[in-house]
Structures are given as C-alpha cells and as structure tokens.
Amino acid sequence: GPGRWLARLPHADRFRPRPAGPADYEASPGRPDEAAARVADACLRAAAESARAGEVDGVVTGPVAKSWMARI
C-alpha cells in the first residue's frame, strides 16, 4: 500500500517496505471499489516482482475483493 501505511506497521524497521498505489489513497474497510482494486493490483504486482527478483522469501496478503479485481 501507500508508504504512509507501511511506516505504521509494527517492526517496519526490520524490513524494506516497497510502497505501491497512490500516496493519497484512503481505504474504506469492508467497502471495496475500483480504487481499492487498483491499489491491490499494484501491490500484488510489486510483490510478484520482488518474488521473481529473489528479494523476498514469500508473500502474504490480506483479503482481496476478487469481483472488483476482475473489473479492472
């Protein structure tokens, strides 16, 4: 997600965060929409790129609204 989200994660100093999506994005938990799908897509693509490059050992995601992902 956006860099300001990553900075708030516990133990953020123990890993190298990789921001994705618009810096000003504000989520509405439980209310998926096109903007959320686009941020999720950007995050998934960044995670896949990091995995392919050998920069990470694994990827963990939260819930993703697949119905919205299919629309973009």
Side-chain angles (χ1 to χ4, degrees):
R4 66 184 177 2
W5 293 7
L6 299 173
R8 294 190 305 236
L9 292 174
H11 310 295
D13 59 327
R14 295 185 188 172
F15 58 91
R16 192 184 76 212
R18 182 174 179 176
D24 62 346
Y25 176 73
E26 289 293 332
S28 298
R31 297 176 188 225
D33 58 17
E34 183 177 341
R38 292 195 182 281
V39 169
D41 182 64
C43 291
L44 291 168
R45 289 176 186 275
E49 186 178 312
S50 290
R52 280 191 215 109
E55 298 171 346
V56 297
D57 294 323
V59 174
V60 177
T61 70
V64 175
K66 291 183 279 301
S67 62
W68 277 99
M69 295 293 291
R71 296 179 192 189
I72 60 169

